[in-house]
Amino acid sequence: MLTTEIPLQDRIIVALDVEKAEQAKELVRRCESHVGFYKVGLQLFMASWFEVVDWIIERGHKVMLDLKFFDIPETVKLAVEQVNNRGVTFATIHGNDPIIRAAVAARGDMKLLAVTVLTSFGEEDLRAMGMTQSIEDLVYFRAKRALDLGCDGVVSSGLEAGRLRQDLGEKLLIVTPGIRPGANVTDGEDDQKRIVTAGRAIAAGANHVVVGRPITKADDPIRVIEAMQQDILQLAR
Ligand code: C5P
């Protein structure tokens, strides 16, 4: 079920994981007839700082700035202040209590998303750290803490989105990476482990999905986007 009224063109956030500003702009120009939301992450930000961010916003699109701030609270606060009032829609931070508190206190016009557990992280990675709880419980615990501390939403895989939506309500924004095309996909061929299709993630309760390589590496990105949007329309009515 579609959780909120979000236009189809804002459901998929295209991750601009490319080397140079010009490549990112070219990808936006190719996708913008169908997609109005783009993610700038570490690679592109290292290459272009705010150049591409500002350019996308000036073209009338939305930006998720995915730098996953993780530092002492004062440093996170100062970093969040640098992002305020530029027109960024979502910014990401790590989901630890002191970091969330500092970021929430400094938040301006954008929404803050706390990373729960990376989608490249599997149960075996958790066991290797000596942790006995399940990823689902850890994601739920972190998401609940983030919401209680005033965060706007979380980044979580599609496998946990359903429980978060059901137990934490409609107010929580859920953004889901680890999206791969194809029915019943359960395990990835690359570094992503907790993957689902775009339709399944939205149907489970995610507000948006983040898609990188399936679009950026495609010969015909529009074809991939159209197929994912169809999947969303079919599964998430
Ligand atoms: O290429 P792919 O579709 O796996 O890209 C996913 C994007 O989402 C990457 O930019 C990655 O940094 C980001 N991301 C993620 N898992 C998170 C948070 C962000 O994969 N928990």
Side-chain angles (χ1 to χ4, degrees), residues 102-229:
V104 165
R107 170 186 50 195
D109 55 345
M110 75 258 183
K111 299 212 184 294
L112 286 174
L113 305 177
V115 175
T116 53
V117 177
L118 292 171
T119 41
S120 56
F121 212 74
E123 296 285 348
E124 66 283 6
D125 299 310
L126 213 57
R127 300 288 96 77
M129 291 172 70
M131 295 174 84
T132 51
Q133 68 199 126
S134 67
I135 286 192
E136 192 191 306
D137 285 345
L138 185 57
V139 169
Y140 177 78
F141 175 77
R142 288 199 171 154
K144 186 165 182 336
R145 288 297 298 158
L147 191 63
D148 289 347
L149 291 170
C151 213
D152 301 287
V154 294
V155 182
S156 101
S157 95
L159 301 178
E160 297 92 36
R163 178 170 168 202
L164 300 185
R165 178 61 67 217
Q166 202 174 346
D167 294 356
L168 299 178
E170 292 298 310
K171 202 174 141 248
L172 181 79
L173 272 167
I174 302 174
V175 176
T176 295
I179 300 298
R180 293 293 177 266
N184 301 318
V185 185
T186 52
D187 208 359
E189 288 164 7
D190 48 39
D191 56 346
Q192 294 284 23
K193 290 188 181 155
R194 301 190 342 274
I195 61 180
V196 297
T197 65
R200 278 172 194 274
I202 301 285
N207 300 88
H208 306 269
V209 291
V210 170
V211 188
R213 287 162 287 184
I215 292 174
T216 58
K217 302 234 178 283
D219 292 334
D220 187 350
I222 291 294
R223 211 163 53 87
V224 177
I225 290 167
E226 281 178 344
M228 286 187 173
Q229 288 178 333

